[in-house]
Amino acid sequence: MLIYAVKDYEELSRKAANIISAQIILKPASVLGLATGSTPVGTYRHLVEGYQKGDLDFSKVTSVNLDEYRGLSGDHDQSYRYFMNTNLFNHVNIRKDHTFVPNGLTEDGAEECADYDARIEALGGIDLQLLGIGGNGHIGFNEPSSVFTRGTHLVTLTQETRQANARFFASIDEVPTQAYTMGVGNIMAAKKVLLLASGENKAQALYDTVLGPVDPMVPASILQLHSDVIIVADEAALSLLNDKI
Ligand code: F6R
């Protein structure tokens, strides 16, 4: 694991955007695995700036997102499709038909999951997977569990995760109860993984991810077994790890 320790969220966002930019410059037809949530917002802002300055070209890039709430349409302002459109896709020259997010409205959940895995496979796999991390160590919507998950699947969200995400909804009752997510297996199959962690509420999860045992109760800990992981974390997120790395 390569760990970049940065001062704060702004520095984290710049560093992450630089790493993603390098990926796109080195391989213009990259397949990017993308994440939503608060953490990557600054990264996407910097990528948009890079595009506006003429430094970045997304015309050959394909993206596959980690997850989507079940039951929300892409027009819903809390869907992850909407998030990606408004934070990145609408502002760069990526082809919209080259951007993939699980379809939250699919009737047949099993078919949606199988199709999503087949799509990733047909694209030749993910070149760079961007990840945030939950306070409980989740990646995508892979919650602590007794086993590591393999492919894309439907999950029932924990109360903790619904509570954490309730800040984006009018009330917790409006937070969907289920979501589609890539599995840990999909994430581990990515050629490179870029994990971002910002803030003190991520410190324990980051500590367990880097130094704890590989344990499905901390889904991100499996990244210890991946051969090409970059972590960019700020001082607060690294507060428990500082003298140990
Ligand atoms: C988002 C995702 C989640 C988030 C995680 C951290 O697509 O898959 O795993 O990365 O919940 O969320 P934030 O960044 O909001 O703290």
Side-chain angles (χ1 to χ4, degrees):
M1 283 181 171
L2 170 60
I3 302 181
Y4 284 113
V6 297
K7 195 168 161 314
D8 54 20
Y9 180 73
E10 177 52 24
E11 221 180 285
L12 171 143
S13 301
R14 233 177 36 240
K15 176 71 80 185
N18 283 341
I19 293 166
I20 297 168
S21 300
Q23 172 69 41
I24 297 171
I25 290 165
L26 289 171
K27 185 177 177 188
S30 286
V31 178
L32 301 180
L34 297 177
T36 60
S38 302
T39 312
V41 169
T43 304
Y44 294 146
R45 183 169 37 80
H46 281 285
L47 288 174
V48 169
E49 282 170 18
Y51 167 71
Q52 286 168 344
K53 277 194 252 166
D55 292 340
L56 275 182
D57 176 11
F58 287 80
S59 63
K60 297 192 174 66
V61 169
T62 300
S63 69
V64 280
N65 258 79
L66 279 169
D67 41 20
E68 178 62 285
Y69 288 117
R70 186 178 204 194
L72 297 194
S73 80
D75 298 336
H76 189 289
D77 65 2
Q78 291 310 326
S79 74
Y80 288 170
R81 159 56 74 182
Y82 187 90
F83 174 101
M84 290 310 303
N85 286 346
T86 51
N87 281 283
L88 184 65
F89 302 153
N90 288 351
H91 310 293
V92 298
N93 65 336
I94 197 165
R95 287 178 48 169
K96 278 278 176 67
D97 61 338
H98 286 183
T99 68
F100 300 98
V101 181
N103 179 356
L105 293 186
T106 313
E107 296 275 313
D108 184 340
E111 188 177 297
E112 177 64 19
C113 295
D115 286 354
Y116 209 66
D117 285 345
R119 161 104 45 214
I120 295 170
E121 174 116 20
L123 288 168
I126 294 168
D127 291 302
L128 184 151
Q129 176 64 56
L130 178 64
L131 296 176
I133 183 168
N136 61 5
H138 73 225
I139 44 178
F141 270 128
N142 295 282
E143 300 286 9
S145 147
S146 57
V147 291
F148 287 112
T149 55
R150 201 176 285 271
T152 304
H153 58 287
L154 190 60
V155 287
T156 297
L157 302 177
T158 62
Q159 193 58 14
E160 189 181 356
T161 295
R162 289 185 70 231
Q163 190 69 57
N165 292 359
R167 65 192 194 274
F168 301 114
F169 292 82
S171 78
I172 188 161
D173 300 333
E174 289 185 24
V175 183
T177 55
Q178 289 189 310
Y180 292 106
T181 181
M182 279 187 203
V184 170
N186 299 107
I187 294 168
M188 287 297 283
K191 294 172 190 105
K192 188 186 275 294
V193 174
L194 172 59
L195 179 125
L196 310 181
S198 173
E200 212 181 322
N201 59 333
K202 304 296 172 70
Q204 187 64 53
L206 192 60
Y207 179 94
D208 294 341
T209 296
V210 175
L211 290 184
V214 174
D215 180 346
M217 287 308 290
V218 182
S221 64
I222 200 169
L223 296 174
Q224 291 176 33
L225 304 180
H226 192 288
S227 60
D228 193 356
V229 175
I230 303 177
I231 295 177
V232 183
D234 63 15
E235 276 173 9
L238 284 168
S239 54
L240 298 176
L241 272 170
N242 270 336
D243 51 348
K244 301 189 178 61
I245 50 170

